[in-house]
Amino acid sequence: MLYKSGGKKLLEQEMNNPSYWAGSLFNKDLRFGYFERALSLLTVNKDKGALELYTPDTRQQFSLKKRYSAFTGKNRGDKYIEGDLKTPIGIYTLTEKKKTVDPFYGPMAFVTSYPNLYDRIRGKSGDGIWVHGVPLSGSRDPFTKGCIAINNNDLLQLDKSINPSNTLLIIDSASKQWVKPTVYSTILASLYQWKSAWTYNDLETYLSFYDTSFRRSDGMNYNQFKSYKERIFAKYEEKSIAFSDINIIPYPGEKQNLFWITYNQLYSSESHQYKGEKSLLVRLNNDQSISILTEE
């Protein structure tokens, strides 16, 4: 009704206010973040040596389906360089299911997306971080070189319980502190404020959402990005931008104010068309504004 009576821009202005989002967060399960797209979650607590599987019901309420004992890297802390024997801290997807692996890794393995975008812009190195099993014969040390290892029967059960393409892996040293619903209202409103500035060619407001340390996935720094956007906005093209399936997840690690945002974007202008998934890493500032640190 709001759309018909006040038009598209009035609805967009409503979505720019945290109060618009507060109602949609009522009774929403926010233990792991804000999810519009249904995903299975694998969470790893390195301190407790545990991998847990959570699946959502039709109301997006997450329930614990299984808790597995897990081995992680020999050394404590976040992974930074290849060979440091540490399991990374971060948010990852499962990019591949390997049905045939060396018997040392058990019957199969899931390949993770380490290093992710945030890892790459920080210069982290190494790859081949898997969720795998234990040797089919013999024994092994109670730690890994950086992977996550669980009992073989547990791994096979996990394989039957998840769709890798629709599962997120969240790795942390310890359980993350719960985030208040008002934080998600603030971030959602800021996300739509950023979109509005983008849609209506308000370059100054649009750029104010970017931190000066910003680095895009292709390596473009803030000043390069600013020059690029100045050229784009100078065309004054009419744009249509739509977001859907937004997920906002507190980023694991010691910093408490970083959030990983993914969403599907539909972009249309005279010179460019785009449809696909986008990712942002943002910092929530003390004044309740957000700063975009990287995007892909």
Side-chain angles (χ1 to χ4, degrees):
M1 193 67 181
L2 177 64
Y3 184 91
K4 290 182 178 179
S5 62
K8 178 181 176 181
K9 197 163 186 177
L10 179 58
L11 176 59
E12 291 174 344
Q13 289 171 349
E14 288 292 316
M15 297 174 81
N16 292 347
N17 295 318
S19 59
Y20 174 88
W21 297 100
S24 64
L25 298 178
F26 183 70
N27 282 338
K28 196 170 183 66
D29 187 351
L30 300 173
R31 285 175 295 161
F32 305 102
Y34 170 89
F35 294 91
E36 292 182 358
R37 175 187 162 202
L39 292 164
S40 295
L41 300 178
L42 288 173
T43 67
V44 175
N45 185 317
K46 296 203 293 180
D47 287 351
K48 292 183 177 180
L51 183 151
E52 296 178 336
L53 169 62
Y54 292 86
T55 59
D57 60 21
T58 55
R59 297 181 299 113
Q60 283 289 74
Q61 300 290 314
F62 288 96
S63 59
L64 175 64
K65 292 300 181 183
K66 190 69 177 179
R67 179 180 290 112
Y68 307 102
S69 294
F71 298 143
T72 56
K74 180 179 181 179
N75 295 328
R76 296 172 64 88
D78 194 4
K79 183 174 189 64
Y80 277 92
I81 59 173
E82 185 173 4
D84 62 10
L85 304 182
K86 297 178 181 180
T87 299
I89 291 173
I91 300 170
Y92 303 99
T93 57
L94 303 180
T95 60
E96 181 186 353
K97 180 170 77 172
K98 286 186 172 290
K99 297 180 180 179
T100 303
V101 296
D102 187 292
F104 180 80
Y105 299 107
M108 57 160 296
F110 295 105
V111 181
T112 77
S113 59
Y114 175 86
N116 66 19
L117 173 60
Y118 187 39
D119 296 328
R120 296 195 303 272
I121 68 167
R122 288 183 292 168
K124 289 189 174 188
S125 62
D127 56 17
I129 301 298
W130 295 359
V131 178
H132 61 70
V134 296
L136 295 178
S137 61
S139 60
R140 62 159 297 145
D141 294 321
F143 53 78
T144 71
K145 294 181 179 179
C147 293
I148 299 150
I150 62 176
N151 178 277
N152 290 337
N153 288 333
D154 291 340
L155 182 64
L156 293 173
Q157 181 188 64
L158 178 63
D159 179 37
K160 294 177 181 178
S161 302
I162 64 171
N163 175 356
S165 65
N166 204 37
T167 301
L168 278 183
L169 173 66
I170 303 173
I171 309 173
D172 209 340
S173 290
S175 298
K176 195 77 172 176
Q177 185 176 356
W178 187 71
V179 176
K180 296 178 180 179
T182 52
V183 169
Y184 295 107
S185 296
T186 297
I187 294 174
L188 284 161
S190 296
L191 187 65
Y192 276 84
Q193 291 165 18
W194 169 68
K195 184 175 82 74
S196 291
W198 188 7
T199 301
Y200 296 108
N201 289 302
D202 182 351
L203 179 64
E204 182 178 353
T205 301
Y206 176 80
L207 290 175
S208 72
F209 284 93
Y210 288 85
D211 194 78
T212 54
S213 68
F214 171 80
R215 186 171 294 274
R216 206 167 68 167
S217 59
D218 59 3
M220 187 180 289
N221 64 28
Y222 174 79
N223 288 329
Q224 293 167 330
F225 180 77
K226 179 182 178 182
S227 296
Y228 166 69
K229 287 297 181 178
E230 285 173 343
R231 294 193 298 272
I232 297 297
F233 275 57
K235 297 178 182 179
Y236 287 98
E237 289 183 325
E238 185 175 338
K239 308 182 188 77
S240 173
I241 306 171
F243 292 167
S244 63
D245 293 339
I246 299 170
N247 295 329
I248 304 172
I249 309 167
Y251 203 85
E254 296 179 3
K255 294 184 177 180
Q256 303 295 307
N257 59 344
L258 298 182
F259 294 83
W260 188 259
I261 303 175
T262 64
Y263 56 94
N264 288 327
Q265 178 179 297
L266 183 60
Y267 178 100
S268 178
S269 71
E270 184 179 338
S271 62
H272 184 64
Q273 308 286 323
Y274 175 84
K275 181 180 181 180
E277 186 171 86
K278 303 284 284 185
S279 300
L280 302 173
L281 182 78
V282 307
R283 181 183 65 238
L284 181 64
N285 302 312
N286 291 333
D287 64 359
Q288 301 303 293
S289 64
I290 64 169
S291 295
I292 300 172
L293 305 181
T294 186
E295 69 178 44
E296 184 173 38

